[in-house]
Amino acid sequence: MPRPPISLNPTTLALATAAWIGAFSNWPLWQALARLPEMSSARGLVFIAGFMLAVMALTFALLTVFASRFTIKPMAAFFVLAAAFGAHFMGAYGVVIDPTMMTNVLQTNARETRDLLSGRMVLVVALLAAPPLWGLWRVRLLPTSGWRQLARNAVAVLASIALVVAIVFALFADLSATMRNHRQLRYLINPLNSFFSLGVLAAEGQAKPKGPPLAIGLDAAALPRAADAKPPLLLLVVGETARADHFSLNGYKQRTNPELAERQVLSFTEVSSCGTSTAASLPCMFSHLGRKEFNAADRDHENLLDVLQRAGYAVLWLDNQAGCKGLCTRVPNAETGDDKTLPATLCDSEGECFDEALLHGLDRRLATLPAERRAKGTVIVLHQMGSHGPAYYKRSPPERKPFTPECTTNVLQQCEHESLIHAYDNSVAYTDHVLAMAVDWLKAREADSAPALLYVSDHGESLGENNLYLHGLPYAVAPREQTHVPMVVWLPPRHPLTACLASQQSKPLSHDNLFHTVLGLAGVRAKEYQQALDMTAQCGPR
């Protein structure tokens, strides 16, 4: 005879679910704690056990809010699945789930999601979610009156909070030191980290005034030019996930930049990013505010593209990634996948294109911009797919893979470290090729324009250092690999700025310089322009 189903009160079911999540679905947290040198003693083991009990109690308190006959099962299932997926990504890539990472999750498109799917993910989620989900399906809930259940839940929540307070007092010295020295640990508490981050994003969204962003550059205008001067043509290339220390222009051992080296570009070796993810860096690097003021701002502002367009320039954003994060909504823009004339070799069956697609038909796209604006000047932004992970091997075509053997999976821990580096370096070498093509395209237009190229990546990437992969750690604790980005400038031969900019190649710079330097290169001024942040300003008149 089959066993009769177990009968439980909804509060007891919440307790069982919280215990499972705390013990098993938080394994990345317990693993991170166990690696800390201060946890190697008996005192450390006591701290970990107390921390685990506190996590269970907090999860139980939150889940108990939904402990009724009609809501506990679906909410418990939601908690279990959220924790299982969170555990996989934190454990597999060494990331944490904070508001910035949650922003990345919410803005991830179908192509990026596909790159994150793997057999390992299915296995981890099944191991962490299948047993409790089976138990939820099998268990029978005991009937109880609404008021009695409400009273039971209230007592359970108060008892849980009291237990957490008691644990905090008992372990306060160790807890305060650990949280102060290893702040990222708070974003490993699963799935409370996800719920907290969603709450922060919702609160921030409500706090910001509704309506369009604040206008900037209302006085923007092009600087006077000589009668025979040619209009500027600036190609601004936004790289993706590129590390400065993997550019051979900066001394890296692998020849990842052979084509750019032949074109005598200037490489700036000490550039820091605004953030550690596209969602954080991209809006910040196009802002006039700088990283600190941008993150503290309680109102959205227009950006660099608006200022250039307000100055009368032709502006175009071309995207080969997950969109412009709202930057290009007020200027002409297009995505590579929308071009039906692209050769089949540049895009796969699912619509993902190699970065060469950004240059395909560029003359045709340029000709669609208003002629009167092009006569003043043109700025084209190319947003690359670059070295977007974890499927680095997809970012370079088969005929452009100088480094082998190459890791060909998105489960990075399964790769030999050398093959992982090869896959990443192949993507950097392909970016080198695309940038070289862009330089050649600009060279062919010197007769009727004053061309220039500026390339800078949005953020860097961890490639297994300290068991960290990908990017997105909170900026305050992010390793240099995630914030040290490459920046490259090309100018025509004998350009008056070349020698001056060459002297700044080892100067500490950041994304804060981008807004003002682009205005400098384009010959545009507005009240938001800061001369001190313009790399070209100290070079004198030209």
Side-chain angles (χ1 to χ4, degrees):
M1 293 180 61
R3 287 185 178 180
I6 299 173
S7 297
L8 295 176
N9 180 275
T11 309
T12 307
L13 183 57
L15 178 61
T17 304
W20 175 276
I21 290 174
F24 298 107
S25 296
N26 273 277
W27 67 264
L29 172 60
W30 312 136
Q31 185 179 67
L33 278 172
R35 286 179 179 149
L36 300 179
E38 57 265 42
M39 298 298 159
S40 59
S41 64
R43 180 170 176 165
L45 293 177
V46 171
F47 174 80
I48 293 176
F51 201 177
M52 182 181 296
L53 190 58
V55 169
M56 291 178 181
L58 285 172
T59 306
F60 174 52
L62 182 58
L63 191 51
T64 299
V65 174
F66 307 98
S68 75
R69 291 188 64 194
F70 305 104
T71 58
I72 186 58
K73 282 193 174 185
M75 288 307 299
F78 174 69
F79 272 54
V80 164
L81 287 170
F85 279 102
H88 164 69
F89 289 110
M90 290 188 294
Y93 301 115
V95 301
V96 299
I97 301 178
D98 65 344
T100 299
M101 182 60 70
M102 188 56 65
T103 300
N104 296 332
V105 172
L106 296 175
Q107 295 182 0
T108 297
N109 62 21
R111 288 183 297 176
E112 292 175 326
T113 300
R114 186 177 67 242
D115 285 346
L116 293 169
L117 301 178
S118 66
R120 178 188 173 117
M121 184 190 76
V122 173
L123 177 61
V124 170
V125 171
L127 288 174
L128 293 176
L133 290 178
W134 182 84
L136 288 172
W137 176 72
R138 287 281 299 162
V139 74
R140 184 174 69 87
L141 295 174
L142 293 171
T144 182
S145 68
W147 286 109
R148 180 173 295 180
Q149 185 62 48
L150 187 62
R152 185 191 295 265
N153 291 349
V155 171
V157 170
L158 291 174
S160 299
I161 294 173
L163 177 59
V164 172
V165 171
I167 292 171
V168 169
F169 272 104
L171 303 175
F172 183 76
D174 292 328
L175 183 64
S176 60
T178 302
M179 291 296 106
R180 183 174 61 250
N181 297 329
H182 309 284
R183 285 180 287 178
Q184 70 274 18
L185 291 175
R186 69 192 68 182
Y187 295 115
L188 290 174
I189 301 174
N190 187 29
L192 303 184
N193 50 1
S194 298
F195 302 154
F196 170 78
S197 298
L198 284 171
V200 169
L201 295 179
E204 289 178 350
Q206 290 297 318
K208 286 190 176 181
K210 305 301 179 185
L214 290 176
I216 65 171
L218 297 178
D219 61 337
L223 293 173
R225 293 199 296 265
D228 60 345
K230 301 168 186 174
L233 172 59
L234 175 60
L235 211 55
L236 175 55
V237 185
V238 179
E240 169 64 33
T241 320
R243 286 171 53 156
D245 63 351
H246 278 245
F247 268 47
S248 56
L249 290 171
N250 299 334
Y252 182 54
K253 61 180 181 180
Q254 303 269 43
R255 291 187 72 243
T256 52
N257 304 122
E259 295 188 54
L260 285 178
E262 292 176 355
R263 285 157 179 80
Q264 299 179 322
V265 299
L266 302 174
S267 182
F268 297 82
T269 60
E270 294 297 328
V271 183
S272 299
S273 67
C274 266
T276 61
S277 68
T278 303
S281 276
L282 201 57
C284 176
M285 62 197 291
F286 278 76
S287 170
H288 68 291
L289 296 173
R291 185 176 72 85
K292 291 182 179 178
E293 288 188 40
F294 178 85
N295 291 330
D298 59 1
R299 184 72 185 269
D300 291 331
H301 293 72
E302 290 181 344
N303 62 78
L304 173 63
L305 305 183
D306 297 293
V307 175
L308 292 166
Q309 185 164 255
R310 198 159 274 138
Y313 281 31
V315 180
L316 176 64
W317 179 288
L318 295 178
D319 208 287
N320 192 38
Q321 216 217 104
C324 66
K325 311 303 181 189
L327 294 174
C328 63
T329 54
R330 294 172 295 278
V331 302
N333 61 86
E335 295 187 4
T336 53
D338 297 335
D339 187 352
K340 305 305 179 185
T341 68
L342 283 174
T345 54
L346 286 183
C347 301
D348 63 21
S349 59
E350 295 173 322
E352 182 173 320
C353 301
F354 293 116
D355 281 333
E356 285 179 69
L358 290 164
L359 302 173
H360 184 269
L362 196 51
D363 287 302
R364 182 182 72 250
R365 294 186 188 275
L366 191 61
T368 65
L369 301 177
E372 66 275 13
R373 287 184 171 273
R374 285 186 281 127
K376 283 191 173 183
T378 302
V379 178
I380 302 175
V381 183
L382 306 181
H383 187 200
Q384 287 187 300
M385 180 61 79
S387 301
H388 196 287
Y392 305 118
Y393 66 97
K394 291 185 178 181
R395 309 300 170 231
S396 56
E399 68 276 11
R400 293 202 167 271
K401 294 185 182 292
F403 310 112
T404 57
E406 180 186 57
C407 171
T408 56
T409 176
N410 57 3
V411 185
L412 303 182
Q413 299 88 336
Q414 292 182 358
C415 296
E416 292 290 336
H417 185 66
E418 183 182 36
S419 68
L420 169 60
I421 297 301
H422 286 169
Y424 183 83
D425 286 350
N426 284 336
S427 71
V428 175
Y430 181 58
T431 288
D432 174 75
H433 173 66
V434 173
L435 292 178
M437 291 178 64
V439 167
D440 292 344
W441 182 83
L442 288 170
K443 284 181 177 179
R445 279 140 196 89
E446 288 189 69
D448 54 10
S449 65
L453 178 142
L454 192 159
Y455 162 87
V456 62
S457 184
D458 58 353
H459 56 80
E461 187 86 328
S462 288
L463 296 170
E465 301 90 357
N466 299 312
N467 293 309
L468 296 176
Y469 294 88
L470 304 182
H471 51 266
L473 280 179
Y475 199 90
V477 298
R480 179 172 165 84
E481 290 83 7
Q482 295 189 24
T483 61
H484 183 208
V485 295
M487 185 166 75
V488 172
V489 170
W490 173 84
L491 298 167
R494 298 176 297 281
H495 194 284
L497 287 175
T498 301
C500 174
L501 289 179
S503 69
Q504 302 179 55
Q505 286 181 269
S506 59
K507 177 182 176 181
L509 299 166
S510 74
H511 281 163
D512 290 3
N513 297 97
L514 183 67
F515 179 96
H516 312 280
T517 299
V518 169
L519 292 186
L521 285 170
V524 170
R525 291 295 180 268
K527 69 176 183 179
E528 290 80 8
Y529 168 80
Q530 295 184 46
Q531 184 175 346
L533 294 174
D534 176 7
M535 294 161 51
T536 72
Q538 69 181 61
C539 301
R542 51 192 184 278

